[in-house]
Amino acid sequence: MTVKVCAAGFCCADVYKKLDIFYPTGNGIDWGVHLARAGVPVSVVSVVGTDEYGTAMREALSAEGIDISHLRTEEGQTCVMLMDLKNGTDRVHLEAIDGVMEHYALTDEDEAFVLTHDVIHTDLFGNCLGLLPEWHEAGRTVVMDFSVFSQDPEYECEKHFPYVDYAFMSFEEDTPELRAWVKHVQGLGPKVAVATLGDKGSIAYDGERFHECGIVECPELVNTVGAGDSYIAGFTKAMLDGKDIDACMQAGAELSSKVIGLFKPY
């Protein structure tokens, strides 16, 4: 049986005005592009505006073979992240313009379409959090990127962990306190809780033990954009292929290494 995956929620255009460059992105978008390129059927459920960025995003995702039948176009501006590069490689977020993403909500048809997929990816910013219990109850595999916000009280992530199968979080250091948190997160429901640590690799807890993975060296660092999203994509593809946790983490590290050697995140 062919497994279908869906990126539901947030999408935006990263715009580097100084370089006169933009590209379609968002946690689930980057994830979906990598999986589509690996031969996995991917759909996107989100929204773009009627501006040039919305048109270009639809064209780019369609060219990747992604199903954009539920990538809605609404009157207004596509969500935009104004970006810059520090030291030539490190991304800097200058300003977020929500545009049509601000009030986006899935329709009943969108919700039914999402449930035709086996694996669903979402994040904190795509206005899909209220659907997590439904996805969980329906037996779908939920992959969620909590980014750097998993411990931020504003986002109340502990309400969402019970409905997620693979919880990904971002930190800077592997500490005893972090391991206690990752273990706590996994205990709330996820099959696996993963903490990516930038150039220090990643750790994961599966309810029995911690797994550790180092980085894969990149010959030439070009741009750190998309490193986390690509790690999750590599991990997900290996998971779909039936690989164990260590192999999934290694696949994530390998794909992330390739991506940071490119300007685009995919």
Side-chain angles (χ1 to χ4, degrees):
M1 182 182 71
T2 301
V3 174
K4 298 192 300 179
V5 308
C6 177
F10 183 73
C11 76
C12 68
D14 276 5
V15 178
Y16 293 79
K17 286 190 173 181
K18 291 181 181 178
L19 302 175
D20 194 27
I21 292 174
F22 105 96
Y23 51 81
T25 187
N27 307 67
I29 300 297
D30 294 352
W31 175 85
V33 168
H34 289 302
L35 289 173
R37 289 186 172 181
V40 179
V42 177
S43 303
V44 168
V45 178
S46 189
V47 64
V48 295
T50 48
D51 55 2
E52 61 178 331
Y53 294 130
T55 299
M57 289 176 71
R58 292 181 63 86
E59 291 175 351
L61 297 180
S62 181
E64 295 288 349
I66 292 174
D67 181 349
I68 61 168
S69 61
H70 286 72
L71 177 59
R72 194 185 314 158
T73 300
E74 293 185 354
E75 186 68 35
Q77 183 175 359
T78 299
C79 179
V80 166
M81 296 290 175
L82 299 180
M83 306 286 289
D84 200 357
L85 291 179
K86 181 177 67 174
N87 301 323
T89 59
D90 294 330
R91 62 180 174 177
V92 179
H93 290 87
L94 302 177
E95 182 182 359
I97 302 170
D98 292 335
V100 294
M101 194 79 240
E102 182 177 5
H103 301 294
Y104 172 68
L106 274 69
T107 64
D108 290 344
E109 183 184 357
D110 290 333
E111 291 182 26
F113 179 71
V114 170
L115 287 174
T116 66
H117 297 78
D118 305 285
V119 179
I120 306 167
H121 176 293
T122 197
D123 52 60
L124 292 168
F125 306 106
N127 301 334
C128 291
L129 296 176
L131 297 172
L132 288 171
E134 178 184 351
W135 296 345
H136 179 74
E137 181 67 24
R140 302 301 181 265
T141 297
V142 178
V143 174
M144 186 159 172
D145 182 4
F146 292 88
S147 186
V148 299
F149 306 105
S150 67
Q151 293 179 310
D152 190 329
E154 177 183 352
Y155 296 98
E156 300 181 302
C157 293
E158 291 191 75
K159 295 196 316 185
H160 308 309
F161 292 136
Y163 307 110
V164 174
D165 295 283
Y166 293 89
F168 291 87
M169 304 164 283
S170 299
F171 294 89
E172 295 182 355
E173 299 284 345
D174 181 3
T175 65
E177 292 77 16
L178 172 60
R179 291 199 174 217
W181 173 248
V182 172
K183 193 171 184 178
H184 171 69
V185 170
Q186 193 278 332
L188 291 175
K191 295 177 182 176
V192 183
V194 182
T196 57
L197 306 168
D199 62 3
K200 300 176 183 65
S202 59
I203 62 172
Y205 187 70
D206 63 0
E208 296 184 358
R209 69 180 181 90
F210 276 96
H211 303 255
E212 301 175 5
C213 183
I215 64 169
V216 174
E217 292 292 339
C218 175
E220 181 181 3
L221 176 61
V222 176
N223 188 358
T224 56
V225 171
D229 299 334
S230 56
Y231 177 97
I232 298 173
F235 186 107
T236 302
K237 179 60 170 66
M239 178 268 290
L240 294 176
D241 290 340
K243 303 293 180 63
D244 62 24
I245 293 174
D246 295 299
C248 290
M249 296 171 74
Q250 181 65 24
E254 290 173 357
L255 183 54
S256 182
S257 176
K258 292 178 182 178
V259 166
I260 63 176
L262 305 171
F263 185 77
K264 287 189 175 183
Y266 50 77

